[in-house]
């Protein structure tokens, strides 16, 4: 079995979000980049499957050379090899096109991508890849088991979950639940040493146009001061919520 | 030419979000001088959409229409959108809408823009305002394609009534082939989900343990609200994962978000920032949540909550 895990290189969750170049570009000054959390849940599941199914796990990212430490971390976590498609990941459509092009050459059985990234929040890459390749697709995936030629997965739905079975090839939109937070693998020295020797292939980008362009970024208007209400004065809170905020 | 909207139903009734999508679709149809066509699945009676300005309801029938499949629903929606020569399709931010939207985008060779918070800034090219960086920022995005799918953020536009008398028809859309099968659905009934809620009551580690959650549940029941929690609370198994909100959990965009015993870590706030009004109850006046909230009470949850529940019950009864 061949598994591809798509990795997005995103600002750490505590990063200050600022923009430069007349608010057209994210300010990377002093920002640390990490594996997108949803992707990391997916990668961890893939590493488990690698052991159980004798699967080969490839990680892929679309980005410039600054993404390589993130790919090396994925290799240290346990992926067998890495691919970097050398291009600016302009939008979700462009990224999906690149992933689909690699998949057409390599024919993976299982493709895992985070259900959404914490920077663009597009929530579209795994779905677009599935659509472009006409593969089966399960997103918001909170469990995945593989037996013979069939996958059994749970999808989180509003208010519960749905258990589905599917054939391959299959695209998964990963999130927490696929593995737990405590299952995430912190690379050890041996893993880090091995990762240096594992293959990291740089591929030229496929010809594709982005389907959208960011014109500008903006930050939400700063909040006014909080109105503090005395703990003994619940009536005032209720009055404010009813008459001022009009939410109850 | 038409604006096509996907209006979701459950057990024969429209979900609230369908009415918001219709309200937005109506404004968009007016802005572009087109008619508004709603697509439903296995919903015989679409007349409720006549309160929100829908001109035509197309109901997809056939055996597959009775249970959601992203692939099959996307194919059917694409069929209707193509027949109506739609250049604008609007879907919600529900789990199902976000599931099918990228598949629909591929079928229609369309650009899909999610988390949209307002009507377009311009139509040619279509330019939309959306949230990004988990609501820590906004971006203005312009589309490079002529067909577009707009994913509207919940509660971003609101519900606006416009009377119309929609014509209703049904279509036996082609069923897309898929090896996927639903083997079971586990769904809590009778509780309001975070996605559908106007009000969300959220508890953090400050509540000390799962045995105290009856306070959160009582408050939520009194307000008709959904219950939510911080990440450590779900990680420790005090509450189910489905209640975890924040940057790595569910996003919340309710009208009112009440956080109790939640410190207000940056990752928590990122996911709930789109809520309109935020209330914090925390024993520590230095808790970061006070900087993000509209209203706050510095106090012990175990004293404030019983009083709040009692007073709210009286307020609701009055
Ligand atoms: C990569 C990453 C992703 C993350 N994603 C998320 C996420 O999606 N969602 C999320 O929530 N967190 C997330 N976190 C965790 C986040 O950083 C915080 O640790 C977490 O939100 C804290 O949860 P809490 O507020 O319940 O607990 P604490 O920070 O422990 O806060 C408890 C609060 O309760 C108050 N308190 C104590 N006793 C009382 C009382 N009797 N009455 C009233 N108040 C009381 C305290 O003053 C304190 O402010 C993430 C962290 C990382 C590193």
């Amino acid at each position: 079995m061949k598994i591809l895990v798509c990795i997005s290189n995103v600002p750490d969750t505590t990063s200050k979000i600022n923009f430069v170049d007349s608010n057209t570009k994210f300010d990377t000054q002093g920002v640390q980049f990490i594996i997108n959390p949803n992707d990391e849940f997916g990668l961890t599941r893939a590493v488990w499957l690698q052991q159980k199914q004798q699967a080969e796990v490839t990680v892929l990212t679309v980005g410039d050379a600054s993404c390589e430490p993130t790919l090396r971390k994925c290799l240290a976590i346990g992926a067998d090899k890495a691919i970097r498609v050398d291009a600016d990941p302009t939008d979700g459509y462009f990224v999906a096109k690149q992933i689909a092009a690699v998949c057409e050459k390599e024919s993976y059985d299982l493709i895992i991508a985070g259900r959404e990234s914490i920077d663009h929040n597009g929530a579209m890459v795994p779905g677009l890849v599935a659509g472009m390749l006409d593969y089966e697709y399960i997103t918001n995936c909170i469990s995945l088991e593989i037996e013979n030629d069939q996958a059994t997965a749970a999808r989180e739905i509003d208010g519960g979950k749905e258990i589905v079975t599917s054939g391959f090839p299959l695209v998964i939109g990963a999130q927490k639940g696929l593995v737990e937070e405590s299952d995430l693998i912190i690379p050890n020295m041996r893993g880090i040493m091995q990762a240096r020797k594992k293959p990291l292939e740089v591929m030229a980008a496929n010809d594709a146009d982005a389907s959208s362009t960011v014109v500008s970024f903006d930050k939400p208007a700063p909040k006014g001061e909080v109105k503090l209400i005395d703990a003994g004065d619940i009536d005032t809170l209720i009055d404010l919520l009813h008459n001022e905020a009009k939410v109850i | 030419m038409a604006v096509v909207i996907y209006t979701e139903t459950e057990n024969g009734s429209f979900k609230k979000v369908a009415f918001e999508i219709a309200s937005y679709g109506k404004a968009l149809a007016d802005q572009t001088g087109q008619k508004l066509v709603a697509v439903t699945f296995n919903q015989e009676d679409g007349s409720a959409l006549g309160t929100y300005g829908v001109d035509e309801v197309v109901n997809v029938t056939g055996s597959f229409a009775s249970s959601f499949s992203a692939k099959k629903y996307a194919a059917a929606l694409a069929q209707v959108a193509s027949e109506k020569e739609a250049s604008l399709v609007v879907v919600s931010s529900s789990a199902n809408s976000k599931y099918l939207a990228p598949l629909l985008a591929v079928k229609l060779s369309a650009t899909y823009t999610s988390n949209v918070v307002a009507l377009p800034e311009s139509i040619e090219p279509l330019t939309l305002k959306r949230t990004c960086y988990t609501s820590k920022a906004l971006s203005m995005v312009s589309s490079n394609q002529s067909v577009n799918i707009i994913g509207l953020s919940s509660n971003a536009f609101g519900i606006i009534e416009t009377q119309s008398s929609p014509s209703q028809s049904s279509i036996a859309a082609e069923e897309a082939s898929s090896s996927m099968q639903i083997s079971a659905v586990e769904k809590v009934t009778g509780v309001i989900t975070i996605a559908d809620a106007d009000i969300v009551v959220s508890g953090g580690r400050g509540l000390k343990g799962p045995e105290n959650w009856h306070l959160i549940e009582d408050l939520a029941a009194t307000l008709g609200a959904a219950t939510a929690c911080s990440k450590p609370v779900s990680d420790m198994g005090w509450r189910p994962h489905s209640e975890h909100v924040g940057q790595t959990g569910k996003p919340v965009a309710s009208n009112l978000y009440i956080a109790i015993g939640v410190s207000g870590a940056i990752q928590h706030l990122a996911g709930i920032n789109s809520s309109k009004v935020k209330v914090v109850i925390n024993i520590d006046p230095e808790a970061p949540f006070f900087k993000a909230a509209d209203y706050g009470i510095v106090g012990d949850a175990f004293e404030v909550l019983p009083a709040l529940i009692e007073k709210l019950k009286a307020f609701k009864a009055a």
Side-chain angles (χ1 to χ4, degrees), chain A residues 13 115 118-122 124 136-137 155-156 159-161 163-165 167 176 180-181 210-213 215-218 220 223 226-227 229 235 244, chain B residues 96 99 111-112 114 130 132-134 136 138 140 142 144-145 178-181 183-184 186 188 231 234-235 241 244 249-250 267 292 294-296 311:
Chain A
T13 56
R115 66 141 205 236
I118 60 169
D119 52 0
H120 288 291
N121 307 117
M124 64 176 84
E136 298 295 347
Y137 170 47
R155 173 173 79 99
E156 189 169 85
K161 64 178 175 184
I163 314 294
V164 293
T165 57
K176 189 173 93 169
E180 295 307 322
E181 185 84 28
S211 77
S212 64
T213 313
V215 183
S216 64
F217 290 102
D218 195 4
K223 271 211 72 63
V226 60
K227 272 193 193 169
I229 297 115
D235 288 329
E244 187 179 81
Chain B
N96 286 355
Y99 190 5
T111 296
Y112 167 45
S114 60
R130 66 183 298 270
C132 55
Y133 294 94
T134 349
K136 287 186 224 167
L138 295 154
M140 199 65 86
S142 90
N144 306 336
Q145 297 194 85
S178 166
S179 71
M180 220 159 96
Q181 271 175 339
S183 56
E186 293 166 28
V188 282
K231 176 169 170 288
S234 79
D235 284 345
H241 283 317
H244 160 197
K250 283 206 171 69
Q267 299 95 346
D294 302 281
Y295 303 101
K311 298 254 181 192

Coordinates of all heavy atoms in Angstrom, one line a residue, chain A residues 13 115 118-122 124 136-137 155-156 159-161 163-165 167 176 180-181 210-213 215-218 220 223 226-227 229 235 244, chain B residues 96 99 111-112 114 130 132-134 136 138 140 142 144-145 178-181 183-184 186 188 231 234-235 241 244 249-250 267 292 294-296 311:
Chain A
T13 N 0.8 28.1 16.2 CA -0.5 28.6 16.6 C -0.5 29.9 17.5 O -1.5 30.5 17.7 CB -1.3 27.5 17.5 OG1 -0.4 27.1 18.5 CG2 -1.6 26.3 16.6
R115 N -8.0 18.3 7.2 CA -9.3 18.8 6.6 C -9.3 20.3 6.3 O -10.0 20.8 5.5 CB -10.4 18.5 7.6 CG -10.4 19.2 8.9 CD -11.7 19.7 9.5 NE -11.3 20.8 10.3 CZ -11.6 21.0 11.6 NH1 -12.4 20.1 12.2 NH2 -11.1 22.0 12.3
I118 N -4.5 25.9 9.2 CA -4.8 27.0 10.2 C -4.4 28.4 9.6 O -4.7 29.3 10.3 CB -4.2 26.7 11.6 CG1 -2.7 26.7 11.5 CG2 -4.8 25.5 12.2 CD1 -2.0 26.7 12.9
D119 N -3.8 28.4 8.4 CA -3.6 29.8 7.9 C -4.7 30.2 6.9 O -5.4 31.1 7.1 CB -2.2 29.9 7.3 CG -1.8 28.8 6.3 OD1 -2.7 27.9 6.0 OD2 -0.7 28.8 5.8
H120 N -4.8 29.4 5.8 CA -5.9 29.9 4.8 C -7.3 29.4 5.2 O -8.2 30.0 4.8 CB -5.5 29.4 3.4 CG -4.3 30.2 2.9 ND1 -4.5 31.5 2.5 CD2 -3.1 29.8 2.7 CE1 -3.3 32.0 2.1 NE2 -2.4 31.0 2.2
N121 N -7.4 28.3 6.0 CA -8.7 27.8 6.3 C -9.6 27.5 5.1 O -10.8 27.7 5.2 CB -9.4 28.7 7.3 CG -8.6 29.1 8.5 OD1 -8.4 30.3 8.7 ND2 -8.3 28.2 9.3
G122 N -9.0 27.2 4.0 CA -9.8 27.0 2.8 C -10.7 25.7 2.9 O -11.8 25.7 2.3
M124 N -10.4 22.9 1.5 CA -10.7 22.5 0.1 C -9.7 21.5 -0.5 O -10.1 20.8 -1.4 CB -11.0 23.6 -0.8 CG -9.8 24.5 -1.1 SD -10.1 25.8 -2.3 CE -10.9 27.0 -1.2
E136 N -12.6 8.3 -4.1 CA -13.5 8.4 -3.0 C -12.9 9.4 -2.0 O -11.7 9.6 -1.9 CB -13.7 7.0 -2.3 CG -14.4 6.0 -3.2 CD -15.8 6.3 -3.7 OE1 -16.4 7.3 -3.1 OE2 -16.3 5.7 -4.6
Y137 N -13.8 10.0 -1.2 CA -13.4 11.1 -0.3 C -14.2 11.1 1.0 O -15.4 11.0 1.0 CB -13.5 12.4 -1.0 CG -13.3 13.7 -0.2 CD1 -12.3 13.8 0.6 CD2 -14.3 14.7 -0.4 CE1 -12.1 15.0 1.3 CE2 -14.1 15.9 0.3 CZ -13.0 16.0 1.2 OH -12.8 17.2 1.9
R155 N -16.8 9.7 10.1 CA -16.8 11.1 9.8 C -17.6 11.8 10.9 O -18.7 11.5 11.2 CB -17.5 11.3 8.4 CG -17.7 12.8 8.1 CD -18.2 12.9 6.6 NE -19.6 12.7 6.5 CZ -20.5 13.7 6.5 NH1 -20.2 14.9 6.6 NH2 -21.8 13.4 6.3
E156 N -17.0 12.9 11.4 CA -17.7 13.7 12.4 C -18.7 14.5 11.6 O -18.4 15.2 10.6 CB -16.7 14.6 13.1 CG -17.4 15.3 14.3 CD -16.4 16.0 15.1 OE1 -16.0 17.2 14.8 OE2 -15.9 15.4 16.1
G159 N -23.3 17.1 15.4 CA -24.1 16.4 16.4 C -23.8 14.9 16.5 O -24.6 14.2 17.1
G160 N -22.8 14.4 15.8 CA -22.5 13.0 16.0 C -21.5 12.5 15.0 O -20.6 13.2 14.6
K161 N -21.6 11.2 14.6 CA -20.7 10.7 13.6 C -21.3 9.7 12.8 O -22.4 9.1 13.1 CB -19.4 10.1 14.3 CG -19.7 8.9 15.2 CD -18.4 8.4 15.8 CE -18.6 7.3 16.7 NZ -17.4 6.8 17.4
I163 N -20.5 6.3 10.3 CA -19.5 5.3 10.0 C -19.7 4.9 8.5 O -20.8 4.6 8.1 CB -19.7 4.0 10.8 CG1 -19.9 4.3 12.3 CG2 -18.5 3.0 10.7 CD1 -18.7 5.0 13.0
V164 N -18.6 5.0 7.7 CA -18.7 4.6 6.3 C -17.6 3.6 5.9 O -16.5 3.5 6.6 CB -18.5 5.9 5.4 CG1 -19.6 6.8 5.6 CG2 -17.2 6.6 5.7
T165 N -17.9 2.8 4.9 CA -16.9 2.0 4.3 C -16.6 2.4 2.9 O -17.5 3.0 2.3 CB -17.4 0.5 4.3 OG1 -18.6 0.5 3.5 CG2 -17.7 -0.1 5.7
G167 N -14.0 1.8 -0.8 CA -12.8 1.1 -1.5 C -11.7 2.2 -1.7 O -11.8 3.3 -1.2
K176 N -8.2 15.9 14.5 CA -8.0 15.3 15.8 C -9.1 14.2 15.9 O -10.2 14.4 15.5 CB -8.1 16.3 16.9 CG -7.7 15.7 18.2 CD -7.7 16.7 19.4 CE -9.0 16.7 20.1 NZ -8.9 17.5 21.3
E180 N -5.2 10.6 18.8 CA -5.4 11.6 19.8 C -4.1 12.5 19.9 O -3.0 12.1 19.5 CB -5.6 10.9 21.2 CG -6.9 10.1 21.2 CD -8.1 10.9 20.9 OE1 -8.2 12.1 21.2 OE2 -9.0 10.4 20.2
E181 N -4.3 13.6 20.6 CA -3.2 14.5 20.9 C -2.0 13.8 21.5 O -0.9 14.0 21.1 CB -3.7 15.6 21.8 CG -2.8 16.7 22.1 CD -2.9 17.8 21.1 OE1 -3.9 18.0 20.5 OE2 -1.8 18.4 20.9
A210 N -3.7 29.5 -10.6 CA -4.5 29.6 -9.4 C -5.9 30.0 -9.8 O -6.1 30.6 -10.8 CB -3.9 30.6 -8.4
S211 N -6.9 29.6 -8.9 CA -8.2 30.0 -9.3 C -8.7 31.3 -8.6 O -9.8 31.7 -8.8 CB -9.2 28.8 -9.0 OG -9.4 28.8 -7.6
S212 N -7.8 31.8 -7.7 CA -8.1 33.0 -7.0 C -6.9 33.8 -6.6 O -5.8 33.2 -6.6 CB -8.9 32.7 -5.7 OG -8.1 31.9 -4.8
T213 N -7.0 35.0 -6.3 CA -5.9 35.9 -6.0 C -6.3 36.6 -4.7 O -7.4 37.2 -4.7 CB -5.6 36.9 -7.1 OG1 -5.6 36.2 -8.3 CG2 -4.3 37.6 -6.9
V215 N -6.3 39.8 -2.8 CA -6.1 41.2 -3.1 C -5.4 41.9 -1.9 O -4.5 42.7 -2.0 CB -7.4 41.9 -3.4 CG1 -7.2 43.3 -3.8 CG2 -8.2 41.1 -4.5
S216 N -5.9 41.6 -0.7 CA -5.4 42.2 0.5 C -5.8 41.5 1.7 O -6.8 40.8 1.7 CB -5.8 43.7 0.6 OG -7.2 43.7 0.8
F217 N -5.0 41.7 2.8 CA -5.4 41.1 4.1 C -5.7 42.3 5.0 O -5.4 43.5 4.8 CB -4.2 40.4 4.7 CG -3.8 39.1 4.0 CD1 -2.8 39.0 3.1 CD2 -4.6 38.0 4.3 CE1 -2.4 37.8 2.5 CE2 -4.2 36.7 3.7 CZ -3.2 36.7 2.8
D218 N -6.4 41.9 6.1 CA -6.9 43.0 7.0 C -7.0 42.3 8.3 O -7.1 41.1 8.4 CB -8.2 43.4 6.5 CG -8.7 44.7 7.1 OD1 -7.9 45.3 7.8 OD2 -9.9 45.1 6.8
P220 N -9.2 42.1 12.1 CA -10.5 42.5 12.6 C -10.3 43.8 13.4 O -9.2 44.0 14.0 CB -10.9 41.4 13.5 CG -10.0 40.2 13.2 CD -8.8 40.8 12.5
K223 N -11.1 45.3 19.6 CA -12.3 45.3 20.5 C -12.3 46.4 21.4 O -11.3 46.9 21.9 CB -12.2 44.0 21.3 CG -12.8 42.8 20.6 CD -13.3 41.8 21.6 CE -14.6 42.3 22.3 NZ -15.7 42.5 21.4
V226 N -13.9 45.5 27.8 CA -14.9 44.6 28.3 C -15.7 45.4 29.4 O -15.2 46.2 30.1 CB -14.3 43.3 29.0 CG1 -13.3 43.7 30.1 CG2 -15.3 42.3 29.4
K227 N -17.0 45.1 29.4 CA -17.8 45.7 30.5 C -17.9 44.7 31.6 O -18.4 43.6 31.5 CB -19.3 45.9 30.0 CG -19.5 47.3 29.3 CD -20.9 47.6 29.1 CE -21.0 48.8 28.2 NZ -22.3 49.1 27.7
I229 N -19.2 43.3 35.1 CA -20.4 43.3 35.9 C -20.1 42.6 37.3 O -19.4 41.6 37.3 CB -21.5 42.6 35.2 CG1 -21.9 43.4 33.9 CG2 -22.8 42.5 36.1 CD1 -21.6 42.6 32.7
D235 N -28.6 40.5 37.6 CA -29.7 41.2 36.9 C -29.1 42.2 35.8 O -29.7 42.3 34.7 CB -30.6 42.0 37.8 CG -31.4 41.0 38.7 OD1 -31.7 39.9 38.2 OD2 -31.7 41.3 39.9
E244 N -29.1 45.6 25.5 CA -28.0 46.3 24.8 C -27.5 45.4 23.7 O -27.5 45.8 22.5 CB -26.9 46.6 25.8 CG -25.8 47.4 25.1 CD -24.7 47.8 26.1 OE1 -23.8 46.9 26.4 OE2 -24.7 48.9 26.7
Chain B
N96 N -21.6 19.2 6.1 CA -22.0 18.6 4.8 C -21.7 19.5 3.6 O -21.2 19.1 2.6 CB -23.5 18.2 4.8 CG -23.7 16.9 5.6 OD1 -22.8 16.3 6.1 ND2 -25.0 16.5 5.7
Y99 N -18.1 19.6 3.0 CA -17.7 18.4 2.4 C -17.9 18.3 0.9 O -17.0 18.0 0.1 CB -18.5 17.3 3.1 CG -18.2 15.8 2.9 CD1 -17.0 15.4 2.2 CD2 -18.9 14.8 3.4 CE1 -16.7 14.1 2.0 CE2 -18.6 13.5 3.3 CZ -17.5 13.1 2.6 OH -17.2 11.8 2.4
T111 N -14.4 28.3 -9.0 CA -13.6 28.7 -7.8 C -14.5 28.6 -6.6 O -15.6 29.1 -6.6 CB -13.1 30.1 -7.9 OG1 -12.2 30.2 -9.0 CG2 -12.3 30.6 -6.6
Y112 N -14.0 27.9 -5.5 CA -14.7 27.8 -4.3 C -14.0 28.7 -3.3 O -12.8 28.6 -3.0 CB -14.7 26.3 -3.8 CG -15.2 26.1 -2.4 CD1 -16.3 26.8 -1.8 CD2 -14.5 25.2 -1.5 CE1 -16.7 26.5 -0.5 CE2 -14.9 25.0 -0.2 CZ -16.0 25.7 0.3 OH -16.4 25.4 1.6
S114 N -14.4 29.7 0.7 CA -15.1 29.4 1.9 C -15.0 30.5 2.9 O -14.2 31.5 2.7 CB -14.4 28.1 2.5 OG -13.0 28.4 2.8
R130 N -13.3 37.2 3.3 CA -13.4 36.0 4.1 C -12.5 36.0 5.3 O -11.6 36.8 5.3 CB -13.1 34.7 3.2 CG -11.6 34.7 2.7 CD -11.4 33.6 1.7 NE -11.6 32.3 2.4 CZ -10.6 31.6 3.0 NH1 -9.4 32.1 3.1 NH2 -10.9 30.5 3.6
C132 N -9.6 34.3 7.7 CA -8.5 33.4 7.5 C -7.6 33.5 8.8 O -8.0 34.2 9.7 CB -7.6 33.7 6.3 SG -7.0 35.4 6.2
Y133 N -6.5 32.7 8.9 CA -5.8 32.6 10.1 C -6.7 32.4 11.3 O -6.6 33.1 12.3 CB -4.9 33.8 10.3 CG -3.8 33.9 9.2 CD1 -4.0 34.6 8.0 CD2 -2.6 33.2 9.3 CE1 -3.0 34.6 7.0 CE2 -1.7 33.2 8.3 CZ -1.9 33.9 7.2 OH -0.9 33.9 6.2
T134 N -7.6 31.4 11.1 CA -8.6 31.1 12.2 C -9.2 32.3 12.8 O -9.1 32.5 14.0 CB -8.0 30.1 13.2 OG1 -6.7 29.7 12.8 CG2 -8.9 28.9 13.5
K136 N -8.2 35.2 12.9 CA -7.3 36.3 13.4 C -7.1 37.3 12.3 O -6.6 38.4 12.5 CB -5.9 35.7 13.8 CG -6.0 34.9 15.1 CD -4.5 34.5 15.4 CE -4.5 33.1 15.9 NZ -3.1 32.6 16.0
L138 N -8.6 38.8 8.1 CA -9.6 38.7 7.0 C -8.8 38.9 5.7 O -7.8 39.6 5.7 CB -10.6 39.9 7.1 CG -11.5 39.9 8.4 CD1 -12.0 41.3 8.7 CD2 -12.7 39.0 8.1
M140 N -9.3 39.8 1.3 CA -10.2 40.1 0.2 C -9.6 39.2 -1.0 O -8.4 39.4 -1.3 CB -10.1 41.6 -0.1 CG -11.2 42.1 -0.9 SD -12.7 42.0 -0.1 CE -12.7 43.5 0.8
S142 N -10.0 37.7 -4.9 CA -10.8 37.8 -6.2 C -10.6 36.5 -7.0 O -9.6 35.9 -7.0 CB -10.4 39.1 -6.9 OG -9.3 38.8 -7.8
N144 N -10.5 34.0 -10.3 CA -10.0 34.1 -11.6 C -10.9 33.2 -12.6 O -10.6 33.0 -13.7 CB -8.6 33.5 -11.7 CG -7.7 34.2 -10.8 OD1 -7.9 35.3 -10.4 ND2 -6.6 33.5 -10.4
Q145 N -12.1 32.8 -12.1 CA -12.9 32.0 -12.9 C -14.3 32.6 -13.0 O -14.8 33.3 -12.1 CB -13.0 30.5 -12.4 CG -11.6 29.9 -12.5 CD -11.6 28.4 -12.4 OE1 -11.8 27.7 -13.4 NE2 -11.3 27.9 -11.2
S178 N -20.3 5.3 -6.7 CA -19.4 5.4 -5.5 C -19.3 4.1 -4.8 O -20.3 3.4 -4.7 CB -19.9 6.5 -4.6 OG -19.2 6.4 -3.3
S179 N -18.1 3.8 -4.3 CA -18.0 2.5 -3.6 C -18.2 2.7 -2.1 O -18.1 1.8 -1.3 CB -16.6 1.9 -3.8 OG -15.6 2.7 -3.1
M180 N -18.6 4.0 -1.8 CA -18.7 4.3 -0.3 C -20.1 4.0 0.2 O -21.1 4.2 -0.5 CB -18.4 5.8 -0.2 CG -17.6 6.1 1.0 SD -16.9 7.7 0.8 CE -18.0 8.6 1.7
Q181 N -20.2 3.5 1.4 CA -21.5 3.2 2.0 C -21.5 3.6 3.4 O -20.5 3.4 4.1 CB -21.7 1.7 1.9 CG -22.4 1.3 0.6 CD -22.6 -0.1 0.4 OE1 -21.9 -0.9 1.0 NE2 -23.6 -0.5 -0.5
S183 N -22.5 2.8 7.0 CA -22.9 1.6 7.7 C -23.6 1.9 9.0 O -24.3 1.1 9.5 CB -21.7 0.7 7.9 OG -20.7 1.3 8.6
A184 N -23.4 3.1 9.5 CA -24.1 3.5 10.8 C -24.0 5.0 11.0 O -23.1 5.6 10.5 CB -23.5 2.8 12.0
E186 N -24.4 7.7 14.2 CA -24.6 7.9 15.6 C -24.8 9.3 15.8 O -23.9 10.1 15.6 CB -23.4 7.4 16.5 CG -23.2 5.9 16.4 CD -21.9 5.4 16.9 OE1 -21.3 6.1 17.8 OE2 -21.4 4.4 16.4
V188 N -26.7 12.3 18.4 CA -27.5 12.7 19.6 C -28.7 13.4 19.1 O -28.7 14.2 18.2 CB -26.7 13.5 20.6 CG1 -25.8 12.7 21.4 CG2 -26.0 14.7 19.9
K231 N -10.0 22.7 24.7 CA -9.3 21.6 24.3 C -8.9 20.6 25.4 O -9.1 19.4 25.4 CB -8.1 22.0 23.5 CG -7.2 20.9 23.0 CD -6.2 21.4 21.9 CE -5.1 20.4 21.6 NZ -4.2 20.3 22.7
S234 N -11.6 18.3 26.6 CA -11.9 17.2 25.7 C -10.7 16.2 25.7 O -10.9 15.0 25.7 CB -12.3 17.6 24.3 OG -11.1 17.9 23.6
D235 N -9.5 16.7 25.8 CA -8.3 15.8 25.9 C -8.4 14.9 27.1 O -7.9 13.7 27.1 CB -7.0 16.6 25.8 CG -6.7 17.1 24.5 OD1 -7.3 16.6 23.5 OD2 -5.8 18.0 24.3
H241 N -15.0 14.9 22.2 CA -14.2 15.7 21.2 C -15.1 16.6 20.4 O -14.7 17.7 20.0 CB -13.5 14.8 20.3 CG -12.3 14.2 20.9 ND1 -11.4 14.9 21.6 CD2 -11.8 12.9 20.8 CE1 -10.4 14.1 22.1 NE2 -10.6 12.9 21.6
H244 N -15.1 20.1 21.5 CA -13.9 20.9 21.5 C -13.9 22.0 20.5 O -14.1 21.8 19.3 CB -12.7 20.0 21.3 CG -11.4 20.6 20.8 ND1 -10.4 19.9 20.3 CD2 -11.0 21.9 20.9 CE1 -9.4 20.7 20.0 NE2 -9.7 21.9 20.3
G249 N -10.1 22.8 17.0 CA -11.4 22.1 17.2 C -12.4 22.7 16.2 O -12.1 23.2 15.1
K250 N -13.7 22.8 16.7 CA -14.7 23.4 15.8 C -14.7 24.9 15.9 O -14.4 25.5 17.0 CB -16.1 23.0 16.4 CG -16.5 21.5 16.0 CD -18.0 21.4 16.0 CE -18.4 20.1 15.4 NZ -18.0 19.0 16.4
Q267 N -5.2 30.1 21.2 CA -5.7 29.1 20.3 C -7.2 28.9 20.5 O -8.0 28.4 19.6 CB -5.0 27.7 20.5 CG -3.6 27.7 20.1 CD -2.7 27.9 21.4 OE1 -3.2 28.3 22.4 NE2 -1.4 27.6 21.2
A292 N -10.8 39.8 25.3 CA -11.5 39.4 24.1 C -13.0 39.5 24.3 O -13.8 39.5 23.3 CB -11.2 38.0 23.7
D294 N -16.9 40.9 25.6 CA -17.7 42.2 25.6 C -18.2 42.4 27.0 O -18.3 43.5 27.5 CB -18.9 42.0 24.7 CG -18.5 41.8 23.3 OD1 -18.1 42.7 22.6 OD2 -18.5 40.6 22.8
Y295 N -18.6 41.3 27.7 CA -19.1 41.4 29.1 C -18.3 40.4 29.9 O -18.0 39.3 29.5 CB -20.6 41.1 29.2 CG -21.4 42.0 28.3 CD1 -21.9 41.6 27.0 CD2 -21.7 43.4 28.6 CE1 -22.6 42.4 26.2 CE2 -22.4 44.2 27.8 CZ -22.9 43.7 26.6 OH -23.6 44.6 25.8
G296 N -18.1 40.8 31.2 CA -17.3 39.8 32.0 C -17.8 39.9 33.4 O -18.2 41.0 33.9
K311 N -31.8 33.2 37.8 CA -32.3 34.5 37.3 C -32.7 34.4 35.8 O -33.7 35.0 35.4 CB -31.2 35.5 37.4 CG -30.8 35.8 38.8 CD -31.3 37.1 39.3 CE -30.8 37.3 40.8 NZ -31.5 38.4 41.4

